[in-house]
Amino acid sequence: MKTLKFKLYQHKRNKYLKASINAAGVIYNHAIALHKRYYRMWGKHLNCAKLQSHIAKLRKRKDFWQSVGSQAVQDICQRIEKAYQLFFKHNKNGCCPPGFKKVKKYKSFTLKQAGYKFLGGNRVKIGNRVYQFWKSREIEGKVKTLTIKRTPLGELFLVVVVDSADESEIKFTTGKIAGFDFGLKTFLTCSDGSKIESPQFFKQSLNAIKRASRHHSKKLFGSSNRELARKNLVRAHEDIANRRTDWFWKLAHDLTNRFDMLCFETLNLKGMKRLWGRKISDLALRDFLNILEWIAKKKGKLVVYIDRWYPSSKTCSCCGHILETLDLSVREWRCPPCQSVNGRDENAARNIQMVGASTIGLGNVSRSETAVAV
C-alpha cells in the first residue's frame, strides 16, 4: 500500500466539498449520540450493521446528508466502531471512548469503490463535479480509497491510497550496521562516533509563535480580524511542521544511503513527554522513525528495534560489564574491570548496534569488532 497526497486547486466549486465535510461531521456526531443513547437504554454496544442501516434510512429524509456519498457514511460508522473496539480493549490504560467533534473542525471523508473517477491529466470527478489538483507525481497501481481532507487553513487535499506491487526485499549493498542513541541535547548519536544535532525548529520560531498567539488572543470573538489572526497562527505552525518534515526526509535518505541496517532503542516517548514536555515534541523522534521505516523499506534496508529495558547506557561496550546505577547527569564513566572510558551516548549507540545485529542472526559483530563493523 502507498499513500499519495495532492493539493486541490483553489476554486469556488470547492465549497461543495467543504459542505460535504461539514455534513460528514454532522453524521458523525449523530452516530455518536445514537451510541450513547443506545447504551443508556439497553446497556449494550450498538452494532455497526444496525447503525449503518439506521443512518441509511435517515439519510433519505435529510437532503443535507445526501451531499456525502453512501460509502463515506459507511466509513464513518466503521471508524466509530473501530474506535469503540479500541476503547473496550484499552480502557484500563486510560483510553477514552470516541466523543463529539465540532463540525467546522471536522477534517475529512473517505470514498472507497464508488463516488469518484480520475479523468485524464490532473482532473478528478467527485460526485457530479470535476476538480483539478496539483499532480506532482503519477498515480501508479490500483486506487483503493480516496480521502478529501481539509486543513485548518481551509485548503483541500486529495489523499489517495494505491495498491502498489513493488515490494522491495532486504538487499545489503554497503554491508554496514549502525546503532543510534536518541538524546535531548543531541538528536541522534551514531555508533561510529558521529553526532546529528536537531535544528529544533519550534524553538527557533518560538518568538514568532508567541507573537501570533498574542495577536490572536487580543482579537474580538467572531470578528474577521480574529479569523485572520487565527490563520496567521496556523501558518506559523504549518511552517514549523513542514521544515521539520523536510529535514526528516533528507536525514532518512542520508542514513539509508550510508547504512544497510539501522538499530534503535524502543523508548517510552509518552513518559518522556511528561518529564520534558515541549522538548520531546520538538524533536519528534516517532515522526522521524515513521519516515525512516518507509524509506528503508523502499530501498531494501532494515530498521531494527531492541528491547526498551536493555541497559544500553550502563553496559560497557568493550567488556560487557553492567553498572548497578548510572545517574542521568553522568555523561562519561570509567569501567571498573577494563578501565575504558565510555561516553554515555556513544557507548549506548555501540551497545544498541551489537544487540540489534544479534537479533537477526548477525552474531559475528562482537564487542571488539564494533568499530570495524561500522
Side-chain angles (χ1 to χ4, degrees), residues 181 185 327-333 342-346:
D181 181 60
K185 294 184 178 180
D327 192 78
L328 190 61
S329 61
V330 178
R331 309 311 302 173
E332 192 174 85
W333 56 279
N342 298 313
R344 184 188 186 97
D345 296 337
E346 295 84 352

Side-chain angles (χ1 to χ4, degrees), residues 179-204:
F180 297 90
D181 181 60
F182 173 70
L184 296 179
K185 294 184 178 180
T186 303
F187 180 63
L188 289 176
T189 302
C190 185
S191 55
D192 64 357
S194 61
K195 296 185 177 181
I196 301 170
E197 302 289 343
S198 173
Q200 297 186 28
F201 296 101
F202 187 84
K203 186 177 180 181
Q204 289 181 8

Side-chain angles (χ1 to χ4, degrees), residues 204-227:
Q204 289 181 8
S205 306
L206 186 58
N207 290 333
I209 291 291
K210 288 181 178 179
R211 186 165 52 250
S213 181
R214 186 166 56 248
H215 290 168
H216 175 252
S217 64
K218 289 182 179 180
K219 298 298 185 290
L220 183 66
F221 279 95
S223 65
S224 58
N225 284 335
R226 186 178 178 87
E227 178 63 17

Side-chain angles (χ1 to χ4, degrees), residues 126-145:
I126 303 173
N128 297 323
R129 296 178 178 86
V130 178
Y131 302 88
Q132 289 182 303
F133 61 94
W134 298 92
K135 195 174 184 180
S136 56
R137 59 188 301 179
E138 293 297 327
I139 302 175
E140 300 176 352
K142 183 180 179 181
V143 178
K144 305 296 287 185
T145 63

